Amino acid sequence: MKITRLKTWQVPPRWLFLKIETDEGAYGWGEPVVEGRAATVEAAVHELADYLVGQDPHRIEHLWNVLYRGGFYRGGPVLMSAIAGIDQALWDLKGRDLGVPVHQLLGGRVRDRMRMYAWTGGDRPSEVASGARALVEQGFTAFKMNGTPEMAIVDSHRKIDEAVARVAEAREAVGPDVGIAIDFHGRVHRPMAKALLRELEPFHPMFVEEPVAPEHLPSLPHIAGGLGYPLATGERLHTRFAFRDLLADGMVDIVQPDLSHCGGISEGLKIASLAACHDVALAPHCPLGPLTLAASLQVDAVSHNAFIQEQSMGIHYNRDNDVLDYLVDKSALAIEDGFCAIPEGPGLGVEIDEHFVEERARVGHRWRNPVWTHEDGSVAEW
């Protein structure tokens, strides 16, 4: 069997889908994308196709190393996201060809279903309490909210008070047993994070995500020592080597690799194992589409330290189309009582409606994240 073609489609709301085809009719799907840079990653995928066409798709680890090491320059969000989608598609293809789910190829699942969480409150968090109550009524036992809108490197304590008040409102709305994840989104700089992290302690967060931007992770020991709740990060780290350095300092409790950004299933598994060596939990990042979610669930299935999975159904970014729209069988990723059953279909366990993909690709997208500014006109972290 040889790879013959890589096909890509940009589809709403902000995703890029990939299909790898072979001379024997076997195929696999993946989702290589950086949010807001879909066209750039698409170009990278087609550049990497030169290393793939004519090759045996079953040699996944070998092909991964060719893509990663063969170009000399390596890493970064664009190249690793392109590799990630290709890797997902190769695992999907191999599972389909052998008639088994990916998790069977990885040693078999360690769990039957995965706890899930949902988003509420939007980019600039508002109406958090009502949104949280609605999610709990749907059966979710955990949710995530943005902690704050833009915040200056040194800002007024009023911004901290407002962020704490929103979390307090959410906690009061859902009671003590529902997990509340608070995403700082890298918007909170070291001087303000020091105070905000401590003032959130009485509300017992399930975790605080990206307490500082990834380039400032070395500051964590100075600002977060002694906290009584977990810290999570990793969506903007792209290789096991970045996670190795993060885990070495012992200041993170949950890693959040994104299976469409960190090199795919192959690298995600290595990151999960590395985290397990440090007794650190796994909660894959996933605000993207159905293939990223399906790939994440395959890694969750075989990772004993996986404890919860993000998903983007109904998220504020999903205008025009949502996660399940592109599936032939929408029940494959159905969430019931806050859990999703590990997909048991061949490959990633989902079947993409290619005709619908073609139709929506004619609409396409040019999604860009907003550019925020502070009162003085300087650029704020989004």
Side-chain angles (χ1 to χ4, degrees):
M1 184 188 295
K2 304 296 181 186
I3 296 170
T4 55
R5 183 165 64 162
L6 282 73
K7 297 170 63 178
T8 53
W9 299 265
Q10 293 185 44
V11 295
R14 56 178 190 163
W15 305 330
L16 177 68
F17 289 172
L18 161 69
K19 185 182 183 185
I20 294 180
E21 298 177 338
T22 68
D23 58 354
E24 295 185 12
Y27 64 89
W29 288 85
E31 194 170 336
V33 68
V34 173
E35 298 91 309
R37 300 291 183 268
T40 308
V41 177
E42 185 174 33
V45 167
H46 289 289
E47 287 182 331
L48 293 172
D50 293 347
Y51 297 93
L52 296 168
V53 172
Q55 299 300 310
D56 177 359
H58 284 272
R59 297 185 65 191
I60 298 173
E61 187 69 16
H62 171 67
L63 293 177
W64 195 99
N65 278 282
V66 167
L67 299 178
Y68 181 76
R69 302 176 190 280
F72 187 73
Y73 295 99
R74 58 187 67 164
V78 172
L79 288 175
M80 295 307 292
S81 296
I83 292 173
I86 292 168
D87 182 82
Q88 292 169 12
L90 291 173
W91 279 109
D92 188 41
L93 188 157
K94 187 165 189 170
R96 289 174 180 278
D97 190 44
L98 298 176
V100 296
V102 168
H103 64 75
Q104 282 286 76
L105 303 176
L106 303 176
R109 54 184 169 80
V110 300
R111 55 178 51 85
D112 302 323
R113 57 183 190 155
M114 191 67 195
R115 186 186 180 199
M116 313 293 285
Y117 70 86
W119 267 91
T120 189
D123 262 348
R124 287 190 171 96
S126 62
E127 299 180 359
V128 170
S130 59
R133 278 192 293 265
L135 291 173
V136 172
E137 288 170 3
Q138 293 172 37
F140 287 100
T141 61
F143 65 90
K144 186 159 76 178
M145 57 181 283
N146 274 311
T148 177
E150 58 268 55
M151 185 176 282
I153 189 167
V154 176
D155 215 321
S156 71
H157 205 278
R158 176 178 58 84
K159 292 281 188 74
I160 291 176
D161 291 340
E162 290 171 351
V164 172
R166 278 188 293 270
V167 175
E169 179 186 4
R171 176 56 74 201
E172 183 178 1
V174 300
D177 298 326
V178 173
I180 302 178
I182 305 162
D183 192 354
F184 281 17
H185 218 255
R187 296 171 184 170
V188 186
H189 295 267
R190 171 176 169 162
M192 305 305 290
K194 256 171 110 170
L196 183 51
L197 286 168
R198 281 165 176 77
E199 295 209 20
L200 291 173
E201 265 194 300
F203 307 101
H204 307 297
M206 182 170 67
F207 59 79
V208 164
E209 178 174 332
E210 278 205 320
V212 290
E215 55 265 41
H216 301 307
L217 286 173
S219 71
L220 279 183
H222 305 288
I223 66 174
L227 283 178
Y229 58 83
L231 295 180
T233 197
E235 68 189 74
R236 290 189 275 182
L237 303 179
H238 308 296
T239 67
R240 79 196 85 152
F241 308 109
F243 282 91
R244 174 198 63 194
D245 298 339
L246 172 70
L247 290 161
D249 69 13
M251 282 306 302
V252 67
D253 308 289
I254 302 163
V255 292
Q256 299 174 297
D258 189 306
L259 274 293
S260 277
H261 299 331
C262 76
I265 290 170
S266 296
E267 190 76 345
L269 285 168
K270 295 176 177 71
I271 292 165
S273 295
L274 183 62
C277 290
H278 290 81
D279 203 22
V280 165
L282 173 72
H285 180 256
C286 185
L288 289 167
L291 292 159
T292 310
L293 179 55
S296 299
L297 288 166
Q298 296 296 331
V299 171
D300 292 330
V302 299
S303 301
H304 195 269
N305 55 334
F307 87 103
I308 201 164
Q309 176 61 56
E310 181 176 26
Q311 52 82 34
S312 74
M313 297 177 203
I315 201 171
H316 46 287
Y317 305 125
N318 289 358
R319 299 176 181 176
D320 301 321
N321 285 110
D322 213 324
V323 174
L324 301 182
D325 293 352
Y326 292 96
L327 298 185
V328 173
D329 178 9
K330 295 171 177 35
S331 68
L333 295 177
I335 298 172
E336 297 182 7
D337 298 324
F339 284 82
C340 183
I342 301 299
E344 290 293 339
L348 295 179
V350 297
E351 190 65 55
I352 295 294
D353 184 340
E354 188 168 346
H355 293 296
F356 188 68
V357 169
E358 294 274 6
E359 176 186 323
R360 298 307 292 157
R362 288 192 286 272
V363 175
H365 68 85
R366 195 173 175 83
W367 188 87
R368 298 290 184 268
N369 63 260
V371 176
W372 290 355
T373 57
H374 296 298
E375 291 179 355
D376 64 1
S378 60
V379 176
E381 298 284 352
W382 168 71

